[in-house]
Amino acid sequence: MLRLLVAGLLLGSAMAMQGIPEAAAAANGTQFVTVLEKAVEEGLLDLTTGGPYTILVPSNDAFSRLSSQELNNILNDNNQLRDVLEYHVIKGEYFSWDLTNGRVFNTLNGHPIRIYSPSNHIYFNNALGEKLDIEATNGVLHVINQVLDVPEGTIYEVLRNAEYPLSKFADIVDRVRLNRTLDAVGTAKYTVFAPSDDAFANLSPVILDRIHTSITYERGNAAPGTLHLRSLDRNGTVTTLDNRHTISVTVDTDVHLNKVAGLDQADIDCDNGVVHIIDHVLIPSSLGSIIG
């Protein structure tokens, strides 16, 4: 009798539990469901088999912050549709107590997501978890406040991407032969603070020449490990790959590096780390008395 009672309770619980689309829609994720249904129609993704899964569901507000062109690209380009959705799905069931600070998960398309948990909040890369631990029949859902950007390749590929104003910095990376390191995908992860082309244009010829002839400059702009903006929102110090140089972080209304460099664009996710575009060239102390 007891076994029958327990079996009945389990069966009733399973029958009452919603499917992934229904659970997402009920948690302010109807736009995500629209995207998911399009992927199902195209035969790109099926979350009803092969689970359980952990699904990161961008809220309706998160999707509303995309431009109409960005949303159209997702819905009308099957490669992008699959890439975006698979980046929001992790194989296995992970609840909030499994999401410890610094833990890295690989998503269905093989790209990593890092967990940050400051002040009892949980972030997935730079996206805040708004509603956690929503159980569904084939997984668990976490509602997030941003649509995650799929990594665009390695750090070096991002530096060379014409969409970003980083060609001058990339040239220096080539010159100091750090391109292979920043183009490798493995266990090593890096954070790169990359000055924009405009930042280099503001330098005097003398300082620019010293940078170009230095073999250690680039290491002063790169740090080991992955530091998203969520790790840079407090005063502190970042240790770089150049053991003679650290970068100070100060926070007032904005984040500043060495008290002079601001972030033009933060959290460009890469397969081997993250890039932040900065508006001022950081000059390691090893190059002289000018610290920028």
Side-chain angles (χ1 to χ4, degrees):
M1 180 65 70
L2 180 59
R3 288 182 180 180
L4 291 175
L5 179 60
V6 171
L9 289 173
L10 291 175
L11 179 61
S13 176
M15 293 177 62
M17 193 175 294
Q18 294 178 308
I20 289 171
E22 293 78 15
N28 193 34
T30 53
Q31 183 60 67
F32 175 81
V33 173
T34 299
V35 174
L36 179 60
E37 288 176 344
K38 179 65 183 294
V40 172
E41 290 173 6
E42 298 294 333
L44 303 176
L45 185 64
D46 182 5
L47 297 181
T48 62
T49 63
Y53 300 102
T54 298
I55 302 101
L56 309 180
V57 179
S59 66
N60 291 335
D61 289 340
F63 273 103
S64 72
R65 287 192 286 273
L66 296 180
S67 69
S68 58
Q69 183 62 53
E70 288 173 320
L71 185 56
N72 285 336
N73 288 344
I74 293 173
L75 290 173
N76 297 307
D77 182 328
N78 279 359
N79 289 331
Q80 189 169 345
L81 175 61
R82 174 164 35 203
D83 222 21
V84 168
L85 274 176
E86 287 187 346
Y87 193 50
H88 289 76
V89 180
I90 300 165
K91 186 67 181 293
E93 210 168 31
Y94 299 100
F95 292 86
S96 56
W97 50 86
D98 301 309
L99 306 175
T100 53
N101 188 55
R103 188 169 183 179
V104 176
F105 294 92
N106 281 329
T107 61
L108 285 189
N109 59 8
H111 295 299
I113 286 178
R114 180 168 178 165
I115 304 300
Y116 299 90
S117 55
S119 304
N120 297 319
H121 295 295
I122 292 178
Y123 288 82
F124 304 83
N125 288 350
N126 59 335
L128 173 65
E130 294 183 323
K131 299 177 183 178
L132 305 174
D133 302 334
I134 302 169
E135 292 188 78
T137 52
N138 200 32
V140 59
L141 281 60
H142 305 297
V143 178
I144 58 178
N145 71 342
Q146 293 188 42
V147 179
L148 295 173
D149 290 326
V150 181
E152 301 175 51
T154 65
I155 290 173
Y156 184 72
E157 287 172 330
V158 166
L159 297 181
R160 281 299 181 195
N161 189 330
E163 294 183 8
Y164 299 108
L166 299 172
S167 60
K168 294 180 180 179
F169 184 74
D171 288 343
I172 297 175
V173 169
D174 288 343
R175 188 172 292 110
V176 301
R177 299 181 180 179
L178 203 57
N179 44 5
R180 289 187 179 180
T181 299
L182 297 182
D183 199 31
V185 178
T187 57
K189 308 291 182 184
Y190 304 97
T191 299
V192 172
F193 301 99
S196 66
D197 290 342
D198 286 343
F200 278 105
N202 291 329
L203 294 179
S204 71
V206 173
I207 296 176
L208 193 57
D209 183 65
R210 293 188 69 180
I211 289 174
H212 284 164
T213 57
S214 169
I215 63 172
T216 62
Y217 163 76
E218 159 61 22
R219 293 181 176 274
N221 283 70
T226 305
L227 300 172
H228 285 86
L229 182 60
R230 188 49 48 194
S231 294
L232 301 173
D233 62 354
R234 62 191 71 87
N235 296 332
T237 301
V238 174
T239 301
T240 71
L241 298 181
D242 179 359
N243 57 18
R244 296 169 294 176
H245 181 61
T246 58
I247 298 172
S248 68
V249 179
T250 54
V251 181
D252 39 52
T253 55
D254 293 302
V255 175
H256 288 95
L257 308 177
N258 286 355
K259 298 183 179 180
V260 290
L263 301 178
D264 277 348
Q265 185 171 349
D267 292 340
I268 302 173
D269 285 298
C270 309
D271 286 322
N272 57 344
V274 62
V275 171
H276 305 286
I277 301 177
I278 59 177
D279 62 7
H280 190 94
V281 179
L282 302 177
I283 303 176
S285 56
S286 57
L287 292 186
S289 59
I290 303 175
I291 310 297

